[in-house]
Structure formats: C-alpha cells, structure tokens
Amino acid sequence: KPTEGLAAFQTLYKEGHRVELAASKLGPGFPGFQAYHTSVRVDELEYSFSGDGIVAGRGLPSHSRLPDETQVVYMGLCCIDGDEMRKHMNPHFKRGSYDLLRKNCNSFSDCALFFLLDTRLDPSYRGLEQLGHMADRQAGIVQAITEGKYCPNPCADGFSVERTIQALNKLKDQSSAFGFS
C-alpha cells in the first residue's frame, strides 16, 4: 500500500537533524548583486560565523538586528548534529579569522551545508562579496570606498572555501562515525 511506504519513510527520517539556511539581505544591493548575511540552523540552534568564531544560539540571534525579514529555507535532514559539525568546522573558522570579503558568514554557511548535507550555498548569496573581493584585490576599491574601514584580515590570508570543502570531504570519507561509510 502507498500509505505503508510513506509511514516507513517518515519513521526512517524522524531521528535526523533538521538543517535550515537563514538569509537576510544587507543593504539595498544593485541589479544582479545583493549582499547577504547567512547562517545555518541545525534543529533549534543557529550556527553563524563572526569575529568570535563559530557562534551558536537559540532562534536566529545573528539576524536579530538586521532590518530586512530573515528568509529561512529547509535544506534537509542529516545524521550529524550541530555540536559535531561545529567541532569539525572550528579549526577552519577560528576566532579572529573573520574577513568581510574573504572569510565570512557566507563562507561558513557554504562549508557547513556541504559538511552536513553535501550541498553548497547558492552562489547568488555570495555574488556581491566576490565582486568586492576581486575589485579590492585588483585596485583596493573596497578599502577606498569604506575610507579604510575595511582592512583585509591577515588571519584570513590563504583561506579558500574550496580547500576547506576538500578537507571536510576527506574527513567525511575517512570516518564512518558520520554514517558516510
């Protein structure tokens, strides 16, 4: 019977951890480019990245002071809980290593979604920051526009989302503890 299969499917995933992406617009943006603040919620805890490193809190505290409504998107269920994810992500997102353009909340959300669900953050959430990084790297434009308020963080030198994802993938491949055997 079709209903029996559905009941089994629901029971099978009941024990998983619910993963959601939270996203808030930052500023007005311009056609094709919008800045976002993103975070990942696992069950009832939000995980975000800032100058304090990976921070966890109930609800969506990292979005609470932002003027636009936060959009929350269900991403899936996984076998890894938030504390386990944080433990394995901490070496890559240490306190003091945040950089507005090169290693930020969106870099963290991209890596966290990959670690938890083998999916990536939609590139549209990172478009403006990547454009800004390229412009600043080539001509120091962001530093000039912000009148020196943006200064590249040397602790983010050498950081790469792609290398971090490769390291996390290798970790998952080597461990049956995550249910990836």
Side-chain angles (χ1 to χ4, degrees):
K1 294 180 180 180
T3 56
E4 288 177 19
L6 180 58
F9 180 78
Q10 290 173 340
T11 303
L12 177 65
Y13 286 95
K14 193 173 189 178
E15 305 265 336
H17 300 281
R18 182 180 179 86
V19 178
E20 297 170 313
L21 173 70
S24 298
K25 288 181 179 180
L26 298 174
F30 56 94
F33 294 98
Q34 174 67 55
Y36 289 91
H37 167 65
T38 63
S39 62
V40 173
R41 187 160 56 183
V42 181
D43 297 324
E44 296 304 314
L45 282 179
E46 175 201 37
Y47 294 87
S48 61
F49 178 63
S50 68
D52 292 327
I54 300 173
V55 179
R58 294 221 173 271
L60 295 170
S62 75
H63 297 261
S64 65
R65 292 194 173 126
L66 300 175
D68 283 350
E69 182 179 339
T70 301
Q71 301 296 314
V72 178
V73 179
Y74 172 77
M75 300 299 291
L77 292 170
C78 70
C79 61
I80 305 167
D81 68 31
D83 289 337
E84 189 72 16
M85 180 265 306
R86 184 180 186 181
K87 179 178 112 180
H88 292 285
M89 298 278 291
N90 268 333
H92 304 283
F93 293 91
K94 294 179 181 176
R95 177 186 196 97
S97 66
Y98 180 91
D99 184 279
L100 180 67
L101 299 177
R102 301 178 299 150
K103 186 178 183 184
N104 57 33
C105 59
N106 300 321
S107 308
F108 168 76
S109 294
D110 195 5
C111 292
L113 288 172
F114 177 80
F115 187 74
L116 294 166
L117 298 169
D118 281 331
T119 193
R120 301 289 301 270
L121 183 68
D122 186 303
S124 65
Y125 291 110
R126 304 195 69 203
L128 189 57
E129 77 195 50
Q130 290 175 338
L131 177 66
H133 177 233
M134 183 181 67
D136 200 65
R137 189 179 64 226
Q138 298 299 321
I141 291 172
V142 175
Q143 292 175 63
I145 290 171
T146 63
E147 298 175 342
K149 290 180 181 153
Y150 168 71
C151 183
N153 183 348
C155 294
D157 290 350
F159 174 79
S160 160
V161 169
E162 298 308 318
R163 281 196 305 273
T164 302
I165 284 183
Q166 288 174 356
L168 293 170
N169 196 43
K170 187 175 180 181
L171 173 69
K172 291 189 326 183
D173 285 346
Q174 294 172 347
S175 177
S176 61
F178 303 119
F180 300 119
S181 55

